Amino acid sequence: MLCRPFHLSLNCSFPCRLAAPVWFLLLAAVSASSMAAAYAPLVGSGHHGQLQAAAIRFGTMVAPETQTGSATGEAVRTVASPLKTTVLMLEDRDSQLALVMTDFNFSIFRDYAVTWALRREAAAALELPVENVLLFFSHNHSDGRMAQERTMTAFDGAAPGPGTEITWTETGKCFRKGLRTACTGLRSQLEPVSVEWAEGREDRITYNRKGRRADGSSYFMREEDRRKVGVDYRGDTDFEVPVVVLRGAGGQVVAGLIQFTGHPVTTFNPHDPVVHGEWPMVAADMLGKALAEPGAEPVPVGFLQGCAGDVNSKEMFEGGVERAEYFGRLLGESAIAALENLQPAGYAGMDHTTVVAPVSFADLPSVDELRVELAEMDDFIARAEAGDPDTLECVGLNFPTALSPQYRANLVRAIRPWNEWALEHQLAGNTGDLPDVLPVRTEVIRLGDVAIMGIPAEPLLGIGRVFRSRSPFALAIPCGYTNYSYGYIPDAPNVGDGEYMSAFHRYTRYFPPFAQPAGDVIAETAAQVLIDWKTELDTGDKTAATH
């Protein structure tokens, strides 16, 4: 039955660097040392109770012929795997939180009403306020649409009215049923846990997809471009693999988290859509099996996507399912190897808050600039629709030959309304009425010594690096693709560039361009919360915190 959710206990049928018996011996040793450390007093115990957790992982089969988010208008042709979702519920005295981590890709801003509806669905089943249910998306591009219509409006992140009409697809209905089933009763399974963490490294599956030409201009480096700049080019990107383990009082693992940074696009082909959970799903499944007791079901593991705005997995449009699964095995092996260095948390309990970071906007382009660009767009669209194979660049955007001329025309057509909007404001002389900042509602979480930032956007990796450098806790995990998305937000050094990621404001309805320090202020705002929390924990003085 398509809509029947199922718990997943898929065996790893592929070779791993660590044989299963070695995993269990390793984890048994780690478990013994961690349990001993758990009896040591934790910093902040006076203000925090015993952290409790419960988790479940389920799969959803996408209905064949489901529409995709592709600009080609193509529907799903092949369903190569279920898409998996992990629900983790946490409780610390009166504080409760749920993380819903999924292989579906709801995060582009047009699915705003859908994501709020799903948070409400989970919140009702978990008996939590909707603000305490957070969605984390792997940003997998190989999925199917949840709803037949998409809402394309600017917003401030506040919840839309509960009466907002959504036309769910069959796939969306199935996912909602699976989510309700998974969340119902999860509260009754809460049990005491301790927090452990480690950080591995994986440098074989991703690359920085923002290229620079000799004249200093930027471009979007897809796979055919990557091959031109060097043998197996990777560039400057994040290779960290944070792993978090929540261990029960008896030594068994209750849940796990894994984070990595990179667009999962190895199976993605807009002209031949395939449904597959990509390498994040494969790695999470591997880690879940490695963390389980011998003969037991895999531990539910959730995947957290990093600040991947300018990072791709290799072989975009070309790799396919087999290569995505290979990359997933590489990531899974790296996460499992990191378990040898698990560290017990020294701080007690959990904290969570939502903060608003004011990301600055810049002025609109001039009337002359906007008119010149509109003429260039119109010429490009006409040539591309006529099948011109040389339609590879337009107003700073570049396109690969792997995309059809019609697809390129659609991508440019999507930005034309923004220029018209900006021109209208310039001609009316009312640009002063436009907002100065974008209020970005950012989630900040602390689990023991682990700090997590969740941004509702596609943040460039520099934003995550600011967060890591400012966080006072042992492990910092910066995440994008949380709850909904404003699209791409650049870090300060990338403001003003013209390629797809840095100039994504063109695809919004409607934001001005970003100004420095742009998304860096998100990381700074989140880090200040952590600094206040740590001061409170270290001093035992709740008044020391400002948030």
Side-chain angles (χ1 to χ4, degrees), residues 262 347-348 443:
Y347 285 89
E443 307 295 341

Side-chain angles (χ1 to χ4, degrees), residues 246-381:
L246 302 179
R247 192 180 300 278
Q252 80 287 358
V253 177
V254 173
L257 301 173
I258 177 176
Q259 189 252 23
F260 193 59
T261 301
H263 270 65
V265 291
T266 301
T267 60
F268 176 54
N269 184 335
H271 297 292
D272 186 15
V274 174
V275 172
H276 187 265
E278 272 272 5
W279 45 266
M281 180 189 73
V282 175
D285 281 345
M286 282 184 65
L287 182 58
K289 186 169 179 61
L291 290 171
E293 298 291 323
E297 293 292 305
V299 169
V301 171
F303 180 85
L304 300 173
Q305 181 59 263
C307 294
D310 44 354
V311 183
N312 256 16
S313 61
K314 297 173 184 175
E315 303 180 22
M316 182 180 188
F317 303 149
E318 301 178 9
V321 170
E322 183 177 345
R323 293 294 288 172
E325 292 184 343
Y326 171 69
F327 289 157
R329 293 195 293 271
L330 295 181
L331 181 58
E333 289 170 0
S334 296
I336 292 167
L339 297 177
E340 186 174 0
N341 298 312
L342 277 175
Q343 302 292 317
Y347 285 89
M350 168 187 77
D351 286 302
H352 165 246
T353 192
T354 305
V355 294
V356 177
V359 180
S360 297
F361 286 134
D363 294 336
L364 297 180
S366 69
V367 169
D368 288 345
E369 289 176 291
L370 292 167
R371 283 175 170 165
V372 168
E373 287 186 343
L374 282 168
E376 184 179 344
M377 292 177 200
D378 290 342
D379 174 70
F380 181 94
I381 292 169

Side-chain angles (χ1 to χ4, degrees), residues 54-78:
I56 189 170
R57 186 162 170 83
F58 69 95
T60 305
M61 296 301 294
V62 173
E65 301 301 319
T66 297
Q67 286 298 308
T68 69
S70 169
T72 62
E74 292 282 355
V76 169
R77 295 185 180 179
T78 305

Side-chain angles (χ1 to χ4, degrees), residues 322-505:
E322 183 177 345
R323 293 294 288 172
E325 292 184 343
Y326 171 69
F327 289 157
R329 293 195 293 271
L330 295 181
L331 181 58
E333 289 170 0
S334 296
I336 292 167
L339 297 177
E340 186 174 0
N341 298 312
L342 277 175
Q343 302 292 317
Y347 285 89
M350 168 187 77
D351 286 302
H352 165 246
T353 192
T354 305
V355 294
V356 177
V359 180
S360 297
F361 286 134
D363 294 336
L364 297 180
S366 69
V367 169
D368 288 345
E369 289 176 291
L370 292 167
R371 283 175 170 165
V372 168
E373 287 186 343
L374 282 168
E376 184 179 344
M377 292 177 200
D378 290 342
D379 174 70
F380 181 94
I381 292 169
R383 290 188 295 112
E385 290 186 333
D388 184 349
D390 293 327
T391 46
L392 300 176
E393 292 187 27
C394 183
V395 296
L397 303 177
N398 65 289
F399 309 101
T401 58
L403 297 177
S404 68
Q406 182 61 58
Y407 190 97
R408 300 173 218 162
N410 291 342
L411 291 177
V412 171
R413 184 178 288 105
I415 66 174
R416 197 180 189 285
W418 189 91
N419 274 56
E420 293 175 327
W421 165 83
L423 181 60
E424 179 181 334
H425 279 283
Q426 287 285 31
L427 293 175
N430 60 4
T431 58
D433 296 336
L434 296 175
D436 296 324
V437 299
L438 177 68
V440 179
R441 294 174 183 248
T442 303
E443 307 295 341
V444 188
I445 305 166
R446 181 190 64 82
L447 298 176
D449 297 1
V450 178
I452 301 173
M453 171 180 66
I455 304 174
E458 298 201 44
L460 271 60
L461 68 88
I463 298 171
R465 289 177 174 178
V466 172
F467 179 72
R468 279 195 170 105
S469 70
R470 302 289 194 272
S471 170
F473 289 100
L475 182 66
I477 302 180
C479 303
Y481 314 93
T482 305
N483 293 334
Y484 46 86
S485 180
Y486 292 110
Y488 291 87
I489 297 180
D491 55 342
N494 286 292
V495 168
D497 286 334
E499 96 293 333
Y500 173 73
M501 297 83 71
S502 301
F504 189 80
H505 61 272

Side-chain angles (χ1 to χ4, degrees), residues 83-102:
L83 300 181
K84 303 176 188 178
T85 302
T86 298
V87 182
L88 170 62
M89 185 172 180
L90 300 159
E91 183 175 270
D92 175 4
R93 287 188 176 171
D94 295 331
S95 299
Q96 297 173 329
L97 184 66
L99 311 185
V100 179
M101 298 159 281
T102 182

